[in-house]
Amino acid sequence: MNAVLPGAEFPTFTGRMYPLERCIIAPRNIDEILTLCAQLICITIEKDSGNILVFLPGMDDILRLDKLVQQKLRRLADGVNIVRLHSHLLGEGETSQENAETSSAGEGRQLYLSSLIAARGVTLPDIKYVFIHPYNRTTLLHQSGLETLGNERISAELNANKTGRAGRTAPGKVVYFSSLTIPRKRCSN
């Protein structure tokens, strides 16, 4: 079961040439975001035109969503070029912009599955849809002194950067995924 939050307030952005349509989707379980995202991508590809950019926390999420979308899009796969953008996918001497340009050189629609790299470092052409995962993968310092990878909620500034990728060349749509936490009631004896 999912919840779409009607009447949610969004920050306003000035200087935008084209309008953005925004919505928040909050699955009951955070683990359902990738499955739900794959379903929405497939619906978007079947019903509308335009390139799609999906922001995900890390490489494992990019690979999982890539697999889910390919399974669901078997019959439409010829018209969709899936481009994975992550710093670990860059070769020696490549920049993220060069990787995005050469990877998206194929015909048809582009589906970009990206980590944080596309929020600031890459300009992607004709993005109409942006899907934003609520977490980013970051290096955290454990109390033992060792560094570890963990998820943290994205900041408002970073969220604005990601949102700004849609609607640059035509009206755009942004889908924010959010985690829905429902407090449990405690029974008193």
Side-chain angles (χ1 to χ4, degrees), residues 19-184:
L20 283 180
E21 186 178 320
R22 301 175 180 99
C23 90
I24 297 173
I25 298 178
R28 290 195 183 273
N29 185 344
I30 193 76
D31 296 331
E32 297 172 356
I33 286 180
L34 291 182
T35 305
L36 182 59
C37 187
Q39 291 170 345
L40 290 173
I41 288 169
C42 293
I43 291 168
T44 302
I45 288 171
E46 289 175 359
K47 306 236 183 241
D48 203 356
S49 61
N51 293 335
I52 302 168
L53 172 60
V54 183
F55 286 103
L56 298 162
M59 188 65 183
D60 57 332
D61 300 294
I62 291 171
L63 295 173
R64 284 178 46 213
L65 186 59
D66 185 357
K67 185 178 179 180
L68 284 170
V69 170
Q70 286 187 34
Q71 288 172 350
K72 292 181 181 299
L73 279 182
R74 284 197 180 126
R75 59 189 152 82
L76 297 173
D78 293 339
V80 180
N81 183 26
I82 299 176
V83 180
R84 298 179 302 201
L85 297 174
H86 189 276
S87 58
H88 287 116
L89 296 173
L90 301 177
E92 183 92 15
E94 279 186 318
T95 66
S96 55
Q97 184 69 43
E98 289 169 351
N99 187 49
E101 289 170 358
T102 57
S103 296
S104 62
E107 296 290 319
R109 293 180 70 176
Q110 308 301 318
L111 169 58
Y112 298 97
L113 304 179
S114 179
S115 62
L116 185 59
I117 200 166
R120 296 184 180 122
V122 179
T123 301
L124 301 170
D126 303 321
I127 299 296
K128 184 172 181 180
Y129 291 91
V130 174
F131 295 91
I132 301 175
H133 195 285
Y135 293 99
N136 271 334
R137 186 92 10 92
T138 187
T139 304
L140 302 172
L141 184 61
H142 188 268
Q143 65 185 8
S144 67
L146 298 174
E147 290 183 349
T148 183
L149 281 177
N151 290 337
E152 70 177 6
R153 282 203 167 276
I154 60 174
S155 67
E157 180 262 337
L158 184 55
N159 203 21
N161 278 353
K162 291 178 176 184
T163 299
R165 298 298 157 183
R168 290 182 174 199
T169 58
K173 297 179 182 177
V174 180
V175 176
Y176 303 94
F177 291 101
S178 180
S179 57
L180 181 64
T181 54
I182 301 172
R184 294 183 180 172

